[in-house]
Amino acid sequence: FPPLQEKSLSVHCGQDLGPIVLIRLHKWRLFLEDAWFCKDVRVTAPNGTLYRFPCYQWLEGVTTLEVREGSGMKLVDDKLQILKEHRHRELAARQEAYRWKNFAQGWPRCLSVDSISELDSNIQFSRIRATNFTGFLIFQGASHFLSGFLVRPTSWNSLDEMRTIFSRTQGRDIGGCLACCPLPFPLH
């Protein structure tokens, strides 16, 4: 598939397959970097029934992916053995992908990896999302910092008054922070 393009394929079958509950996508490596993102697969049966198979995953290198038909079902609703086996394999794969470890006593658990690059591309926290998240945090921090200056109607008379600027810092000593970060304006 060419990059950034959607591809529609037609596959004809000479006989009725009955209800389609599971499909397998096989991908072979064609070039060095030939990963493609599969949003979904839609199958129209000869009788006009439309089956949707939501995927939303990257397929990289040589891989086979099984995708269930998109009708949401609970475990107890799976009557076919092939669907029960698929659910079991999918759960085992997720347990392998999401191995947890304790970072430190009293801290939340985290993924048991040394680097993001060890994770499957479908699990990785994308750099774009990470950049957006970091930008949001910086914006929020700056907004909080500036709000302390904007809500004050008068100038400060002393450093002690400066210590009460922020609601989150009231009662705490921020002098150390102010000592290392010079103020952009004089106190008077």
Side-chain angles (χ1 to χ4, degrees):
F1 296 112
L4 303 174
Q5 292 191 8
E6 192 170 300
K7 185 74 172 179
S8 179
L9 302 172
S10 294
V11 178
H12 299 281
C13 183
Q15 63 184 9
D16 184 24
L17 300 175
I20 304 171
V21 295
L22 185 74
I23 61 169
R24 286 188 184 103
L25 301 175
H26 301 283
K27 184 194 165 301
W28 294 272
R29 182 183 298 264
L30 298 176
F31 305 104
L32 292 176
E33 287 293 328
D34 66 340
W36 55 277
F37 184 80
C38 178
K39 181 178 85 174
D40 65 359
V41 175
R42 298 175 203 152
V43 177
T44 305
N47 66 4
T49 303
L50 176 65
Y51 298 95
R52 293 185 65 124
F53 298 86
C55 185
Y56 299 99
Q57 292 189 48
W58 284 99
L59 285 84
E60 298 176 310
V62 177
T63 190
T64 297
L65 180 67
E66 292 182 337
V67 184
R68 294 173 63 116
E69 200 272 323
S71 300
M73 298 181 87
K74 296 179 286 195
L75 178 61
V76 297
D77 295 334
D78 283 340
K79 304 296 181 209
L80 298 173
Q81 187 62 30
I82 191 171
L83 292 179
K84 291 177 183 180
E85 291 169 1
H86 175 261
R87 192 181 291 263
H88 179 73
R89 286 190 306 272
E90 189 176 46
L91 178 60
R94 287 179 186 255
Q95 287 172 335
E96 175 64 26
Y98 295 101
R99 296 176 315 268
W100 296 98
K101 69 178 179 182
N102 286 327
F103 175 72
Q105 186 65 28
W107 284 70
R109 295 175 68 188
C110 60
L111 284 176
S112 183
V113 293
D114 294 325
S115 167
I116 290 176
S117 62
E118 293 179 38
L119 297 172
D120 178 85
S121 59
N122 291 301
I123 300 171
Q124 290 182 10
F125 191 75
S126 76
R127 301 208 189 289
I128 293 170
R129 287 176 58 197
T131 302
N132 289 343
F133 184 69
T134 302
F136 176 76
L137 286 179
I138 291 170
F139 174 76
Q140 288 297 317
S143 296
H144 182 67
F145 180 77
L146 291 174
S147 69
F149 293 100
L150 298 176
V151 297
R152 178 139 178 116
T154 61
S155 297
W156 294 277
N157 295 317
S158 70
L159 187 56
D160 289 331
E161 277 189 23
M162 287 288 300
R163 291 186 176 129
T164 61
I165 295 174
F166 307 109
S167 60
R168 291 188 181 197
T169 60
Q170 285 184 359
R172 293 188 224 158
D173 183 11
I174 62 168
C177 177
L178 292 175
C180 71
C181 306
L183 297 174
F185 51 85
L187 291 172
H188 55 280

